[in-house]
């Protein structure tokens, strides 16, 4: 007698979610003020901070915070005096941040039903940052590119995250604010959410959140 294989009725078996500009939001008020005072277009400091030779090495764990700030300042030094460039770089590196409470609420609810993993192009000091946020119960773990040595949109980090979550790629929901990362996940067969606000995430999670809460995972 053949026993049919049980199939899950869940829409997906794991949620893989970006961190910055999805869960964590930065306050650029001071950086913007300094840029305007210096006569720079708003966003100039961010463009320098994540420009060639900085953004890639940063998220691959190859730059300390001090080295990153110094490099960011050098990228601005041809447009403003060196002291102002250093001030802008320091303000950007220490910009305050907070969580989006609606996104946090949704992900905590999702985690009651399936594994939730944060997948971020992060920094070597990410753990220090997260210690200041109330993320208790939000995720089963974090895949940080700076520790893994592979960054989105490389499929390697996405496959690694799916493996950590114990789910096949095609059984994952991937959430990210960058189109290139979403496209890379879709190419692996993942369901995707191109995030702009929590309103994009809520309908994607609705089928999962409508299901009964399972017994706690051990």
């Amino acid at each position: 007698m053949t026993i049919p294989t049980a199939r899950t009725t869940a829409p997906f078996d794991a949620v893989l979610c970006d961190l910055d500009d999805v869960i964590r939001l930065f306050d650029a008020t001071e950086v913007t003020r300094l840029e305007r005072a210096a006569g720079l277009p708003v966003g100039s400091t961010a463009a320098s901070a994540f420009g060639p030779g900085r953004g890639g090495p940063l998220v691959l764990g190859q730059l300390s915070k001090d080295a990153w700030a110094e490099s960011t300042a050098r990228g601005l030094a041809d447009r403003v005096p060196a002291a102002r460039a250093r001030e802008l770089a320091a303000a950007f590196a220490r910009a305050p941040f907070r969580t989006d409470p609606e996104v946090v609420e949704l992900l905590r609810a999702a985690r009651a039903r399936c594994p939730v993993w944060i997948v971020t192009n992060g920094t070597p000091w990410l753990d220090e940052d997260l210690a200041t946020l109330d993320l208790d119960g939000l995720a089963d773990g974090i895949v940080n590119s700076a520790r893994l040595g592979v960054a989105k949109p490389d499929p390697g980090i996405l496959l690694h995250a799916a493996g950590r979550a114990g789910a096949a790629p095609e059984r994952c929901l991937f959430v990210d604010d960058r189109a290139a990362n979403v496209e890379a996940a879709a190419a692996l067969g993942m369901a995707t959410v191109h995030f702009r606000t929590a309103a994009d995430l809520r309908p994607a999670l609705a089928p999962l959140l409508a299901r009964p809460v399972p017994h706690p995972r051990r």
Side-chain angles (χ1 to χ4, degrees), residues 61-161:
Q62 298 167 0
L63 289 176
S64 67
K65 184 181 284 191
D66 288 343
W68 180 49
E70 290 169 7
S71 183
T72 299
R74 287 197 298 271
L76 296 168
D78 61 341
R79 287 174 284 173
V80 295
R84 179 56 64 89
R86 289 192 296 272
E87 182 182 24
L88 283 160
F92 189 82
R94 64 170 185 261
F97 48 79
R98 60 178 178 83
T99 56
D100 182 321
E102 188 174 358
V103 173
V104 168
E105 177 187 6
L106 285 168
L107 292 176
R108 282 184 173 144
R111 188 173 176 243
R113 292 160 172 82
C114 75
V116 172
W117 279 74
I118 294 172
V119 188
T120 179
N121 283 356
T123 64
W125 57 90
L126 179 63
D127 290 347
E128 300 170 26
D129 287 353
L130 296 186
T132 69
L133 295 173
D134 178 18
L135 298 181
D136 183 49
L138 179 67
D140 292 271
I142 298 174
V143 175
N144 179 1
S145 65
R147 293 193 178 276
L148 187 64
V150 181
K152 298 177 291 185
D154 190 306
I157 188 173
L158 305 179
L159 292 172
H160 177 84

Side-chain angles (χ1 to χ4, degrees), residues 1-79:
M1 175 179 170
T2 301
I3 300 175
T5 303
R7 295 181 62 84
T8 178
T9 59
F12 34 79
D13 296 333
V15 176
L16 310 179
C17 188
D18 185 29
L19 176 66
D20 292 333
D21 297 320
V22 178
I23 299 170
R24 175 168 68 163
L25 306 177
F26 287 87
D27 182 353
T29 302
E30 177 62 9
V31 176
T32 297
R33 184 188 72 78
L34 291 172
E35 287 174 335
R36 287 175 173 158
L40 290 174
V42 173
S44 295
T45 310
S48 177
F50 297 109
R54 299 182 188 94
L58 174 69
V59 300
L60 292 177
Q62 298 167 0
L63 289 176
S64 67
K65 184 181 284 191
D66 288 343
W68 180 49
E70 290 169 7
S71 183
T72 299
R74 287 197 298 271
L76 296 168
D78 61 341
R79 287 174 284 173

